[in-house]
């Protein structure tokens, strides 16, 4: 803001700047928008994996029953002449009938042996009923639970009957004898597969099902009626698992075409390539392939199982095509059962698809049970015809001239089709048809590299793609490929395995069993591998060693620890993160690995990662050190020393800026607590004693009447939004000026963090509890006790413990946990409360088990709560609490009215005696915080671990599973924000256009000059006294903070958008607010006077406000409260400072300034430093000493010049250059003000001035290089609030004398505001805060009478 008005921008210059500003919006970094801020830190929901065959089966026995009776045709079939004769490719009439029968039988067995060489084959040629019975029962006896195949050829006997019989012979072949399917079922048992090659075969399938149903009904009757004949018999197996394949429907005859074999169905099932080629030659289209005859087909060179020969290649293509058709047409579970469970069944069903195609062309419809959808018209058959065509067209030259065989382009073309699907497809599309073919291609070395590449790209589409690939049966193939030594496959295989393990970690066992882990160990150790492939390898190894002992041993022997330690300092952050997680997992509950780590001084190498710039890496390092100390093996002095070292290193992270890190820290320390339980119990008892003996003055006595806000109770005040429903907070808001340090707890009156953790914001619980009363909760230690204990510990005799080296570690870790229990982020404080309470519980239980029995209050014992370990204990339901006699041992606070009842979250229980509600036991008046209450009955005393074991060694944060999600999600996809067409991008573009419009319009308004600023465009009564107000820079939203809540108003529409609780403790208040990412997705930062910073999102729209992150920005804030003013002090400055103190209870609180360009946050206040936080790294980057003895009251920075200007309580204005060292960075001190500086503002231009104002009303302009002010204006005395408009050369002063004065750059008053518009000209209240809009000439004013008004420069049409 230039003071010289003649330097106003020319319009031409303005346009150029507009475009530049637009570009700048795109360039500005965004704070707190990473994945760790936007999603819950937990693993993905495990998909139920159905791809593993739970019951792989084998067909171990085969009965071949042939009823041919060669030479005699059955009476009920009239055969044509000529007729189909061949059986198993043999003409029965070409030899004697008996020899023909035996040859056909032997041939059929050979045809089946091609598909299942290891089965037991038994032929039964023209048998009797008894022979069939003997055959079937003996096969079933030998097969036990495995599958048996029954092949029936009925070409020489009558057709099956509708009564469910097939025919065999009598001993001397004079009669046909019926054989009931019912009997056949009994002899064959289950699981079985039946093949019927005869006319009207469909009848058998129907009868089979009817008999199976009949059996089940008989069994049901027998089960009810014990005298039933079946009741004593062993249960026959269910016939549901039986599979049947029949040659034709119930009403159809087999084809008699003399060009076809008589057993066409059997030929299709057992010699598919031969029959398919013959059939191809019989089609009209075969004429297009010259020179191919049926004789030539017999001469195709090669073997079926050699894929390099023509015959083998055709067989391979046939397998791929039939598999693909089945996978695309069948439901997944049926596909698994028929095509993946049993090799022989799979082959028969693949060939059955061919039978359907060929036999339908002769008006015959093969039938199967389970029934398959029709597949004979599937498009893939055309690919088969093409492959056959290409192969046969080469035949004449290959056979006659011996030319080389050209391989089919089939697989290459199918891979191209798959590639097209991958590159061109839309998001939501059907699975690619070619997936099973990709699987087949992995068998070929020629296409393997390309197939793996495409497979990897497919798996990258997400967990659904991995599940699909696994269900197709990819697993054994990629497992086998790990034995390959080809280097070029390494990146692809590592990628594919990372994808598989991210979705289904149960594969760890298969990998170790097949020595697959060695493959990934070698990739990790190979420094020529790019970092991302090593990252995937170490992720895979981290899955292999995760809670899997065999994997841990295998990888320990494979030198995993040394390999990992070498990569800890890799520049790739994801690699560092996973190396640390992998280390943490290999020594988790596995002592040999821990000692190996000790020998390599792994813990010391991990220390460097504790200060890593990436929060996730710090987190992983904390995790690894946590499991390092968390082993439960015997402790030696050496290992105890190491544990102590690690604990003290971890303790330094207590003020880390990232809640993810602090959560992991609590878990890591909880491992230590579990290890050294007895030592911690001693410390806990010591602290408990201290807490009892030390009294904090009760805040109720020192409450200033000005701080009670009874107005809040009036029903007219609208309730807060569902973040809280804090009626009970409001009822007794006594001012508590408790002296505190790091304290900032969300375990509030609502019964604990369950109420505000972002996940729970919606189901607000008005839990029935009051702070500090021992019977309020399932916790022994209430928050207030912990808080008091923490404060007591800082200046009491406990300090003497520090001298004792052994004890001091436990004392210090206990203090760290006390601090973490007061963390501003609910999930952190929640975990720490669990750990502290667990120890307090054990300590008090061990210390005085008798106390409970002697108390005489057993008459009111209630059963122990059935809460399971580790769950949230807060939201206890039941009746509301009675205001019990000991409402609190800390404060003589008014008991709160009972809150509404809340649905119980645990099983309802009946009180044993007296029928009282669980919370309402009348405790003895003298009862201290930590005595176990009367609700613990004697029988529980025997098992101290049983009742409230909050802390289990398995306390976890979900960090590792959450990190693993990265590998399950698409890695190759363009992120949405970079995708020009994505909605995210469009929304951003819209916001940036809006920003430009606001900048342009507001600038044109301020350039015309603002002559008045008193048009009231908004007024409303705020739910609380406004203490900080902040305009959103671009939309019409304004945030108004009172002591502990934030209200959002739309100033254009005049309506309230939101009101929610900030979560700061009662004796703290909000002293500063900032919009982060105001140009884009806005977040709101709130700072409270205990040094805590909280960041919120989703406010002022229809969603529930959520806390993105929170941390302790300043750790040693000690707000002071001065007493009432003495009568003699009458100077204005004194009066104003008292006024300020009355409105602000103490010092300056916390002041902040935010630099969007650099992502730096400057914080200061009632401390002696300016602390700079880097929000990208979420860590403190600099502490600049102020060199003054008073508090910092105002901060302003300029990123271009790296300057920071601070206004102080002693009237000095200090300028710091943050590029310099801590001793020389203070470059200027101005001491011209005689009193408290209300505002110091640094203009953002390259030669911008410093403007500062003190309570005395003197406005001074400084040029940063000059030692004295260059201009001074005198405004109203008794200033309580002031703001400077960054664009419009205006500043506004609010005074304790209830008026606002607006000045222009020359110090002329352009407006004086004393009365509200409308309200009968009511006088405005004492000004508590005011703020200009960053762009528009709008001024927002909050006053002590709860009103919030906005004034603007021009009459706007409303």
């Amino acid at each position: 803001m230039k003071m010289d008005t003649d330097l106003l921008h020319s319009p031409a210059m303005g346009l150029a700047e507009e475009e530049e500003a637009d570009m700048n919006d795109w360039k500005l970094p965004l704070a707190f928008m990473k994945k760790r801020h936007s999603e819950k830190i937990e693993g993905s929901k495990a998909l139920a994996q159905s791809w593993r065959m739970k019951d792989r089966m084998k067909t171990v026995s085969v009965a071949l029953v042939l009823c041919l009776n060669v030479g005699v045709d059955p009476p009920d079939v009239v055969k044509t002449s000529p007729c189909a004769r061949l059986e198993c490719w043999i003409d029965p009439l070409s030899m004697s009938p008996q020899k023909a029968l035996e040859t056909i039988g032997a041939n059929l067995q050979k045809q089946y042996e091609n598909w299942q060489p290891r089965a037991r084959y038994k032929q039964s040629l023209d048998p009797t009923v008894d022979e069939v019975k003997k055959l079937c029962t003996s096969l079933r006896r030998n097969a036990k639970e495995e599958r048996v195949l029954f092949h029936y050829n009925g070409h020489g006997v009558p057709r099956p009957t509708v009564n469910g019989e097939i025919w065999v012979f009598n001993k001397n072949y004079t009669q046909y004898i019926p054989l009931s399917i019912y009997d056949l079922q009994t002899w064959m048992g289950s699981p079985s597969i039946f093949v019927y090659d005869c006319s009207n075969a469909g009848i058998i399938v129907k009868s089979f099902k009817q008999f199976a149903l009949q059996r089940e009904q008989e069994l049901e009757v027998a089960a009810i009626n014990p005298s039933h004949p079946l009741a004593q018999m062993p249960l026959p197996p269910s016939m549901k698992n039986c599979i049947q394949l029949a040659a034709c429907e119930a009403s159809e005859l087999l084809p008699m075409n003399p060009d076809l074999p008589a057993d066409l169905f059997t030929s299709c099932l057992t010699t598919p390539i031969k029959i398919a080629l013959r059939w191809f030659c019989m089609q009209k289209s075969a004429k297009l392939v010259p020179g191919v005859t049926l004789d030539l087909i017999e001469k195709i060179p090669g073997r079926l199982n050699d894929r390099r020969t023509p015959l083998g290649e055709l067989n391979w293509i046939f397998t791929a095509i039939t598999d693909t058709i089945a996978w695309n047409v069948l439901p997944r579970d049926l596909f698994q059962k028929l095509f993946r469970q049993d090799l022989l069944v799979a082959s028969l069903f693949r060939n059955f698809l061919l039978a359907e195609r060929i036999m339908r062309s002769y008006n015959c419809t093969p039938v199967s049970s389970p029934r398959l959808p029709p597949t004979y018209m599937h498009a893939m058959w055309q690919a088969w015809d093409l492959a056959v065509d290409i192969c046969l067209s080469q035949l004449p030259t290959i056979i006659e001239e011996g030319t080389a065989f050209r391989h089919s382009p089939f697989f290459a073309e199918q891979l191209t089709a798959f590639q097209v699907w991958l590159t061109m497809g839309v998001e939501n599309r059907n699975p690619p048809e070619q997936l099973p073919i990709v699987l087949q291609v992995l068998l070929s070395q020629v296409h393997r590299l390309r197939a793996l590449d495409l497979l990897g790209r497919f798996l990258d589409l997400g967990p659904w793609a991995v599940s699909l690939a696994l269900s197709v049966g990819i697993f054994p193939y990629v497992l086998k490929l790990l034995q390959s030594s080809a280097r070029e496959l390494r990146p692809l295989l590592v990628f594919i395995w990372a994808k598989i393990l991210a979705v289904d970690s149960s594969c760890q066992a298969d990998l170790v069993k097949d020595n697959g882990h060695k493959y990934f160990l070698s990739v990790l150790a190979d420094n020529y591998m790019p970092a991302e492939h090593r990252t995937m390898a170490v992720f895979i190894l981290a899955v292999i060693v995760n809670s899997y002992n065999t994997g841990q041993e295998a990888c320990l022997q494979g030198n995993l620890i040394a390999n990992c330690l070498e990569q800890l300092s890799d520049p790739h952050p994801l690699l560092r993160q996973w190396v640390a997680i992998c280390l943490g997992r290999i020594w988790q509950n596995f002592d040999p690995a821990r000692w190996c780590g000790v020998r390599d001084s792994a813990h010391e190498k991990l220390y460097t990662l504790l200060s890593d710039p990436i929060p996730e890496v710090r987190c992983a390092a904390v995790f690894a050190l946590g499991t390092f100390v968390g082993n439960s093996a015997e402790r030696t002095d050496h290992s105890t020393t190491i544990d102590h070292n690690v604990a003290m290193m971890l303790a330094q992270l207590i003020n880390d800026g990232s809640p993810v890190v602090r959560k992991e820290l609590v878990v890591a320390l909880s491992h230590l607590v579990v290890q050294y339980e007895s030592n911690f119990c001693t410390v806990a008892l010591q602290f408990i004693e201290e807490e009892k003996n030390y009294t904090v003055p009760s805040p109720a006595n020192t409450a200033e009447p000005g701080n009670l806000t009874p107005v809040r109770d009036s029903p007219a005040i609208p309730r807060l939004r569902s973040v809280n429903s804090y009626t009970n907070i409001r009822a007794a808001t006594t001012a508590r000026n408790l002296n505190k340090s790091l304290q900032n707890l969300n375990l509030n009156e609502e019964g604990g963090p369950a109420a505000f953790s972002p996940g729970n914001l919606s189901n607000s619980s008005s839990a029935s509890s009051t702070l500090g009363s021992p019977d309020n909760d399932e916790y022994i230690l209430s928050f207030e006790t912990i808080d008091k204990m923490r404060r007591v510990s800082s200046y009491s005799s406990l300090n003497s413990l520090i001298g004792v080296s052994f004890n001091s570690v436990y004392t210090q870790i206990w203090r760290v946990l006390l601090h973490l229990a007061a963390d501003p982020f609910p999930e952190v404080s929640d975990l720490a409360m669990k750990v502290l309470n667990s120890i307090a519980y054990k300590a008090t239980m061990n210390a005085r088990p008798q106390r409970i029995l002697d108390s005489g209050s057993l008459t009111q014992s209630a059963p122990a709560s059935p809460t399971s370990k580790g769950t949230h204990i807060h939201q206890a339901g039941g009746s509301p609490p009675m205001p019990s006699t000991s409402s609190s041992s800390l404060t003589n606070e008014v008991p709160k009215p009972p809150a509404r009842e809340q649905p119980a979250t645990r099983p309802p229980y009946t009180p044993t005696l007296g029928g009282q509600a669980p919370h309402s036991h009348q405790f003895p008046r003298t009862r201290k915080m930590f005595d176990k209450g009367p609700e613990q009955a004697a029988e529980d005393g025997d098992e101290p671990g049983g009742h409230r074991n909050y802390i289990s060694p398995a306390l976890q944060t979900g960090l590792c599973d959450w990190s693993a999600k990265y590998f399950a999600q698409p890695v190759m996809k363009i992120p949405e924000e970079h995708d020009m067409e994505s909605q995210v991008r469009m929304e951003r573009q819209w916001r940036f256009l809006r920003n430009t419009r606001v900048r342009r319009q507001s600038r044109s308004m301020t350039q015309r000059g603002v002559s008045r600023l008193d048009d009231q465009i908004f007024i409303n009564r705020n739910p609380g006294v406004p203490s900080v107000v902040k305009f959103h820079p671009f939309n019409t939203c304004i945030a108004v903070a009172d002591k502990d809540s934030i209200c959002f108003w739309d100033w254009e529409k005049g309506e309230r958008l939101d009101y929610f609780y900030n979560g700061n403790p009662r004796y703290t208040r909000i002293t500063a607010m900032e919009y982060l990412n105001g140009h884009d997705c806005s977040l709101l930062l709130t700072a409270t006077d205990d040094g805590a910073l909280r960041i919120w999102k989703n406010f002022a729209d229809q969603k529930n406000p959520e806390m993105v992150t929170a941390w302790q920005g300043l750790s040693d804030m000690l707000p002071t409260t001065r007493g009432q003013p003495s009568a003699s002090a009458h100077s204005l400055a004194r009066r104003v400072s008292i006024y300020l103190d009355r409105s602000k209870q103490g010092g300056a609180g916390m002041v902040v300034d935010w630099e969007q360009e650099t992502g730096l946050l400057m914080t200061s206040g009632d401390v002696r430093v300016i602390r700079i936080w880097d929000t990208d790294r979420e860590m403190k980057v600099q502490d600049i000493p102020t060199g003054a003895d008073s508090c910092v009251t105002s901060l302003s920075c300029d990123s271009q010049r790296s300057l920071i200007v601070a206004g102080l309580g002693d009237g000095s204005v200090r300028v710091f250059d943050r590029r310099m060292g801590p001793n020389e960075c203070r470059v200027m001190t101005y001491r011209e003000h005689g009193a408290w500086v209300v505002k110091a503002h640094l203009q953002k231009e390259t030669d911008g001035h410093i403007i500062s104002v003190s309570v005395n009303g003197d406005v001074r302009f400084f040029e940063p290089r000059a030692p004295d002010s260059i201009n001074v204006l005198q405004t109203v005395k008794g200033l309580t609030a002031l703001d400077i408009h960054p664009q419009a050369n205006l500043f506004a002063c609010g005074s304790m004398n209830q008026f606002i004065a607006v000045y222009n750059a020359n110090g002329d008053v352009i407006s004086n505001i004393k009365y509200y518009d409308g309200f009968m000209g009511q006088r405005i209240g004492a000004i508590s805060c005011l703020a200009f809009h960053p762009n528009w000439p709008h001024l927002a004013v909050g006053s002590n009478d709860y009103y919030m008004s906005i004034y603007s420069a021009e009459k706007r049409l409303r």
Side-chain angles (χ1 to χ4, degrees), residues 552-693:
Q552 287 172 313
E553 275 167 31
C555 290
L556 180 62
Q557 279 155 10
N559 213 9
L560 173 63
I561 291 186
N563 263 345
C564 282
L565 290 173
E566 278 171 23
Q567 319 244 355
L568 274 179
S569 53
D570 192 275
H572 195 65
L574 201 60
L575 179 56
R576 298 197 298 273
Q577 178 184 345
W578 274 102
V579 165
I581 290 177
C582 188
L583 286 170
R585 281 178 169 177
I586 191 171
W587 55 51
Q588 192 164 21
N589 305 326
F590 183 55
D591 226 46
R594 179 182 194 266
W595 282 111
C596 172
V598 170
R599 282 193 296 279
D600 287 348
S601 50
H603 52 296
E604 290 169 13
K605 292 176 182 164
L606 277 165
Y607 291 161
T608 54
L609 292 192
L610 293 178
S611 52
D612 196 273
I614 309 291
E616 286 88 346
V617 178
R618 301 202 292 274
C619 224
V622 175
F623 166 76
L625 291 169
T627 55
F628 189 75
V629 296
N631 278 333
S632 45
E634 288 304 304
R635 286 290 182 233
T636 60
D637 285 353
H638 181 200
S639 64
T640 305
T641 313
I642 290 172
D643 287 351
H644 287 180
N645 278 337
V646 172
M648 293 325 287
M649 282 307 291
L650 286 173
Q652 296 172 13
L653 289 175
I654 179 169
N655 285 326
D656 193 279
S658 170
V660 198
V661 177
R662 298 194 304 276
K663 247 168 36 184
E664 206 57 59
L665 174 63
V666 179
V667 173
L669 295 178
S670 79
H671 293 314
L672 192 81
V673 168
V674 171
Q675 288 307 318
Y676 298 97
E677 200 169 82
S678 53
N679 309 67
F680 277 102
C681 283
T682 316
V683 173
L685 282 172
Q686 181 99 27
F687 270 76
I688 289 165
E689 288 306 313
E690 287 286 339
E691 185 261 336
K692 283 183 194 163
N693 303 336

Side-chain angles (χ1 to χ4, degrees), residues 1288-1299:
N1289 304 353
L1290 299 173
F1291 51 95
C1293 312
S1295 119
M1296 54 187 289
N1297 303 328
Q1298 298 181 297
F1299 73 92

Side-chain angles (χ1 to χ4, degrees), residues 273 277 295-302 310-311 314 391-392 395 399:
I273 303 300
L277 293 177
D295 302 338
L296 203 58
I297 285 174
E298 299 297 323
K299 297 180 188 160
I300 288 191
L311 194 59
L314 273 178
C391 175
L392 294 185
L395 263 189
I399 289 168

Side-chain angles (χ1 to χ4, degrees), residues 635-937:
R635 286 290 182 233
T636 60
D637 285 353
H638 181 200
S639 64
T640 305
T641 313
I642 290 172
D643 287 351
H644 287 180
N645 278 337
V646 172
M648 293 325 287
M649 282 307 291
L650 286 173
Q652 296 172 13
L653 289 175
I654 179 169
N655 285 326
D656 193 279
S658 170
V660 198
V661 177
R662 298 194 304 276
K663 247 168 36 184
E664 206 57 59
L665 174 63
V666 179
V667 173
L669 295 178
S670 79
H671 293 314
L672 192 81
V673 168
V674 171
Q675 288 307 318
Y676 298 97
E677 200 169 82
S678 53
N679 309 67
F680 277 102
C681 283
T682 316
V683 173
L685 282 172
Q686 181 99 27
F687 270 76
I688 289 165
E689 288 306 313
E690 287 286 339
E691 185 261 336
K692 283 183 194 163
N693 303 336
Y694 186 87
T695 53
V696 176
S698 161
N701 309 339
T702 57
E704 303 173 24
N707 273 342
L708 283 167
T709 52
V711 200
R712 298 249 184 130
D713 296 348
S714 71
I717 299 289
R719 293 283 299 277
L720 287 169
R721 225 169 113 180
S722 64
V723 182
N724 42 357
S725 26
Y726 288 135
T727 29
N728 51 356
I729 301 183
R730 311 289 180 191
T733 315
T734 34
R736 301 156 139 37
N737 310 325
L738 294 180
N739 184 358
K740 58 190 177 3
S741 55
L742 281 176
Q743 148 53 26
N744 190 358
L745 191 56
N746 245 330
L747 279 172
N748 218 295
E749 294 91 330
E750 269 305 89
F756 333 114
S757 60
N760 287 358
L761 285 178
S762 46
N763 51 358
S764 97
S765 54
S766 38
S768 46
S769 61
T770 48
L771 241 178
S773 61
D775 51 342
N776 70 338
D777 219 319
E778 297 288 321
Y779 278 160
I780 305 180
L781 289 174
S782 71
F783 155 59
E784 292 206 343
T785 319
I786 284 180
D787 184 37
K788 178 175 165 191
M789 210 187 267
R790 206 187 72 232
R791 287 175 292 115
V792 168
S793 78
S794 50
Y795 39 70
S796 77
S797 61
L798 268 174
N799 292 336
S800 61
L801 282 178
I802 305 276
V804 190
S805 64
F806 176 69
N807 221 354
S808 67
V809 174
Y810 306 115
T811 313
Q812 291 191 39
I813 295 305
W814 181 261
R815 284 201 181 128
V816 168
L817 285 166
L818 288 173
H819 279 308
L820 289 165
D823 197 272
F825 199 72
E827 291 169 39
V828 179
S829 59
D830 190 23
L831 278 173
M833 287 289 273
K834 276 186 187 170
V835 179
L836 290 170
N837 273 288
S838 158
I839 290 300
Y841 170 72
K842 287 184 176 143
T844 47
M845 283 307 291
N846 301 344
R848 24 183 182 334
Q850 277 317 101
R851 157 82 187 69
I852 300 160
L853 300 178
D854 304 341
S855 73
S857 55
L858 274 181
T859 44
Q860 307 201 348
S861 82
S865 127
T867 318
S868 61
K869 279 195 221 179
T871 51
H872 272 303
I873 324 233
H874 297 300
Q875 311 169 340
S879 323
M882 312 299 166
S884 74
T885 39
S886 82
S887 155
S888 160
S889 65
L890 265 186
T891 59
N892 12 3
E893 204 191 323
V894 197
K896 304 241 161 67
R900 289 175 319 185
E901 200 165 322
Q902 175 202 354
T905 49
R906 52 179 185 178
Y909 75 90
T910 341
T912 32
L913 289 164
Q916 274 188 303
H919 294 296
S920 61
H921 307 303
Q922 301 299 311
F923 286 83
R925 186 85 186 105
T926 53
R927 178 165 177 269
K928 287 284 190 206
M929 263 308 181
F930 278 89
D931 292 355
K932 208 44 224 98
E935 57 177 281
Q936 180 81 2

